[in-house]
């Protein structure tokens, strides 16, 4: 039962705040009736909530996740640089950690640009693009062998290119551009990533990537001076 509950919680991905029951059942590979029964229990415990279009992750899960030591420590190191990146690029800035149990980057925190009336892109599109870029960073820098076995397929040539240039840029179908660079341990394994995102044509990729690489280098140096954070990977 625990494994099935966790498989349901893991159906949610960055940029997807709500999912219908049918899609959760499909992703979790279980009958809809079984998914409904487990979801009812998760809702009762506050791990899931019912939204306008389906189910969404609950506040109780957020409170629990916020207590994870690695998340707190990496966030403390990286968040000031995310704020700087937001001001330098005028885009949204994100902090991710590697997810050892699946293909997705795990969002830790974000500094988002203003979304006023008539804004061509919303937060979901930018989160999706930045998460996709961070996921490819984690694959290229060997954050987790599980990435290969759980769905992420990046050609060897692309992984080598990413390692060489030190960043990844992803453009969504809606025009959002996400750019990510790695936070590295002394063994050059990515345990985190910083990313920026914004509308195509307004976010200057080369300039933003330069700022990202400099910020990630600074966070990496701070990380490597914190042995207890590296040892939990």
């Amino acid at each position: 039962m625990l494994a099935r509950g966790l498989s349901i919680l893991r159906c949610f991905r960055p940029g997807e705040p709500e999912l219908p029951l049918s899609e959760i059942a499909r992703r979790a590979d279980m009958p809809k009736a079984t998914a409904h029964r487990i979801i009812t229990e998760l809702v009762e415990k506050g791990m899931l909530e019912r939204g306008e279009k389906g189910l969404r992750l609950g506040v109780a899960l957020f409170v629990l996740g916020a207590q994870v030591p690695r998340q707190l420590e990496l966030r403390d190191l990286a968040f000031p640089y995310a704020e700087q990146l937001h001001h330098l690029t005028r885009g949204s800035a994100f902090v991710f950690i590697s997810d050892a149990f699946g293909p997705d980057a795990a969002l830790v925190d974000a500094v988002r640009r203003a979304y006023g009336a008539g804004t061509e892109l919303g937060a979901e599109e930018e989160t999706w693009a930045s998460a996709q870029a961070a996921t490819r960073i984690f694959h290229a820098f060997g954050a987790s062998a599980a990435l290969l076995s759980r769905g992420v397929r990046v050609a060897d040539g692309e992984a080598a290119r990413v390692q060489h240039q030190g960043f990844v840029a992803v453009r969504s179908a809606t025009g959002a551009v996400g750019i990510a660079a790695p936070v590295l341990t002394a063994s050059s394994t990515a345990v985190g990533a910083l990313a920026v995102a914004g509308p195509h044509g307004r976010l200057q990729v080369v300039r933003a990537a330069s700022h990202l690489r400099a910020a990630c280098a600074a966070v990496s140096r701070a990380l490597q001076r914190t042995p207890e954070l590296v040892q939990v990977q």
Side-chain angles (χ1 to χ4, degrees):
M1 183 63 72
L2 176 60
R4 287 184 171 185
L6 291 174
S7 69
I8 285 176
L9 294 176
R10 297 192 65 81
C11 289
F12 294 84
R13 301 165 185 166
E16 297 177 341
E18 294 186 8
L19 291 174
L21 170 62
S22 58
E23 179 61 15
I24 293 175
R26 186 189 70 80
R27 293 185 184 185
D29 192 24
M30 64 179 65
K32 188 181 295 186
T34 302
H36 181 270
R37 184 176 68 254
I38 298 173
I39 285 171
T40 298
E41 294 186 24
L42 291 172
V43 170
E44 291 176 354
K45 299 298 182 182
M47 297 296 177
L48 288 177
E49 297 175 352
R50 301 192 186 279
E52 295 181 0
K53 300 179 180 179
L55 284 303
R56 61 192 180 202
L57 297 177
V59 173
L61 190 64
F62 172 81
V63 172
L64 183 64
Q67 300 177 53
V68 177
R70 180 161 66 113
Q71 173 178 314
L72 292 173
E73 292 168 343
L74 184 56
R75 189 259 182 203
D76 287 345
L77 288 175
F79 188 73
Y81 293 93
E83 291 182 310
Q84 292 180 14
L85 288 167
H86 166 66
H87 292 299
L88 288 168
T89 66
R90 298 302 178 187
S92 298
F94 303 84
V95 181
F96 291 96
I97 59 173
S98 62
D99 183 348
F101 300 100
D104 297 320
L107 179 62
V108 175
D109 215 333
V111 185
R112 300 186 185 275
R113 66 189 183 90
Y115 299 97
T119 302
E120 63 272 38
L121 289 174
E124 293 178 16
E125 290 86 351
E126 293 185 352
T127 301
W128 182 91
S130 62
Q132 291 297 309
T135 296
R136 282 161 172 75
I137 281 291
F138 292 143
H139 171 80
F141 286 87
S144 170
L147 293 176
L148 288 175
S149 63
R150 295 290 295 275
V152 172
R153 295 287 181 248
V154 182
D156 289 344
E158 181 180 348
R161 176 180 58 79
V162 171
Q163 291 177 8
H164 175 71
Q165 70 183 17
F167 72 93
V168 168
V170 171
R171 181 177 176 182
S172 73
T174 58
V177 177
I179 311 165
V183 174
L184 301 171
T185 64
S187 60
S188 297
T189 297
V191 292
L194 287 171
V196 294
H200 175 68
R202 299 178 75 184
L203 189 66
Q204 300 178 22
V205 173
V206 175
R207 181 171 175 267
S210 177
H211 290 312
L212 269 172
R213 293 179 63 178
C216 286
V219 178
S220 297
R221 289 192 294 270
L223 173 72
Q224 293 162 24
R225 293 194 297 267
T226 313
E228 63 272 18
L229 180 54
V230 177
Q231 289 170 2
V232 299
Q233 311 307 324

